[in-house]
Amino acid sequence: MVDAARSEVLSLIGLDPIRSYVAEEVVRGPLVRQGNVLGERIELWTDRGDVVPCLFLRPIDDVHQVGAVVAVHQHAGNYALGKSELAGLEGDPQMAFAVELAESGLPTLVPDLLGFEERQRDAIDPQLAENRDAEDLLAGGSTLQGVHTRDIAMATSWLEARDDVRGPLGIIGHSLGGQVGLFNLACDPRLRAGVLSCGIGTLESFEREGISHNPAWFVPELRKAGDVHLVVQAIENQRVLVVAGQDDPLFPFQDVQGLVSSFREGVADFVPFEGGHAFPAVQRRHAISWLKSRLTEARSTP
């Protein structure tokens, strides 16, 4: 049942088997120290000739490393920011959780998603460019969600292949990052644990409440196939922490609760908080501690 759900999700978003997504070439930049963290620019080149720029953050002292993480940035309608916000170089300090992860001892890779920061397609109207990309991909039999998932899978493959990354792999994201994290957990069993902050909901709730979302959410035939409940059902032998604001205007709370109850038994932990579309310090600290604990547990679990 899980394999069938995973295969169906992959088919709906237009992807091949997830392990097939590996960088054809990797270009690495110099190390830069940022407090107790070392930062490095990584370029992952695809077989299609495009590049996924990333920042790789790791603790200076990684003797007690328990795993590594892919961190996925938010949307927020700000296409100028991607990986740099999570790395604490620009933007909202609340979003600098990649630095916090590295400071806690977890090496963290942060890519730019298509359309953001170094991957902006149209500086004059990046929102129009995002919509155009989504439409062009649909016309070619693919999806924008598929591209996001593919690029994160390629980042996961790079981490998996590194000799200096020890332990299991996880993922964390807020908003768009949580959405992408959900699909990658569903498609990629190499990700043993994931934190999804204010980033999951149902297509039915978006339509019912008249909520506009980024175009990657709207995968053809997904609602007919079971809505996002299908996606969560593809996750097994992985752990998921769902963080949700009870007053989040983008993700109706009752529907988030319904999705959490759709996870298979023993997969999901749920941390609701009083607030809106945010990732406050208390919830971030809990999420990082939770992620370290789950990756430590995964080291001894096949």
Side-chain angles (χ1 to χ4, degrees):
M1 289 292 292
V2 174
D3 288 343
R6 180 165 282 156
S7 295
E8 187 166 8
V9 173
L10 284 165
S11 177
L12 287 170
I13 63 177
L15 290 189
D16 295 325
I18 205 71
R19 288 180 179 271
S20 66
Y21 298 107
V22 178
E24 290 289 303
E25 181 182 0
V26 178
V27 178
R28 304 184 63 173
L31 291 174
V32 177
R33 181 165 180 167
Q34 182 181 340
N36 294 321
V37 171
L38 290 175
E40 182 181 5
R41 177 183 170 84
I42 306 291
E43 293 183 355
L44 303 177
W45 286 82
T46 75
D47 57 2
R48 297 165 303 282
D50 60 334
V51 60
V52 179
C54 309
L55 290 175
F56 185 40
L57 308 178
R58 50 186 160 164
I60 292 175
D61 178 9
D62 64 352
V63 175
H64 304 293
Q65 186 184 131
V66 298
V69 178
V70 181
V72 193
H73 62 76
Q74 67 172 341
H75 192 299
N78 189 348
Y79 299 88
L81 291 180
K83 63 186 182 306
S84 294
E85 187 167 48
L86 270 61
L89 302 175
E90 298 183 64
D92 184 356
Q94 189 180 103
M95 291 295 108
F97 50 85
V99 176
E100 296 170 343
L101 284 160
E103 289 173 340
S104 79
L106 286 171
T108 303
L109 185 65
V110 194
D112 282 335
L113 295 178
L114 181 66
F116 292 87
E117 201 165 307
E118 291 187 65
R119 299 181 75 191
Q120 285 189 81
R121 312 282 274 188
D122 187 334
I124 297 174
D125 194 338
Q127 182 176 13
L128 177 62
E130 181 184 34
N131 290 328
R132 188 170 59 239
D133 280 336
E135 292 165 359
D136 289 346
L137 287 162
L138 288 174
S142 183
T143 65
L144 184 55
Q145 183 60 65
V147 169
H148 293 334
T149 304
R150 177 200 71 197
D151 291 345
I152 298 302
M154 186 169 61
T156 302
S157 295
W158 183 81
L159 280 176
E160 182 184 41
R162 292 194 54 77
D163 292 335
D164 59 352
V165 170
R166 300 179 297 279
L169 303 179
I171 193 165
I172 184 172
H174 173 74
S175 194
L176 171 61
Q179 166 191 333
V180 173
L182 173 67
F183 277 86
N184 276 88
L185 284 161
C187 294
D188 196 342
R190 296 175 298 177
L191 296 169
R192 301 300 302 279
V195 175
L196 313 176
S197 168
C198 295
I200 68 170
T202 64
L203 300 181
E204 189 278 330
S205 71
F206 305 157
E207 181 179 343
R208 184 188 71 235
E209 303 296 334
I211 299 170
S212 295
H213 269 288
N214 71 84
W217 260 122
F218 302 101
V219 175
E221 302 296 321
L222 176 57
R223 188 169 174 187
K224 181 179 178 181
D227 209 317
V228 182
H229 299 281
L230 169 72
V231 183
V232 304
Q233 281 287 297
I235 300 173
E236 187 177 53
N237 297 323
Q238 299 157 281
R239 295 296 303 277
V240 178
L241 177 67
V242 177
V243 180
Q246 295 176 3
D247 300 312
D248 190 335
L250 297 178
F251 296 99
F253 187 69
Q254 181 177 348
D255 298 272
V256 176
Q257 289 178 304
L259 267 181
V260 172
S261 68
S262 291
F263 280 93
R264 296 180 185 276
E265 184 176 356
V267 168
D269 294 328
F270 187 34
V271 177
F273 65 92
E274 294 183 4
H277 194 72
F279 200 7
V282 171
Q283 283 70 37
R284 292 199 315 277
R285 287 193 295 268
H286 175 76
I288 291 170
S289 175
W290 181 94
L291 193 51
K292 289 187 71 174
S293 295
R294 299 296 84 75
L295 292 177
T296 300
E297 291 172 2
R299 294 183 72 172
S300 57
T301 306

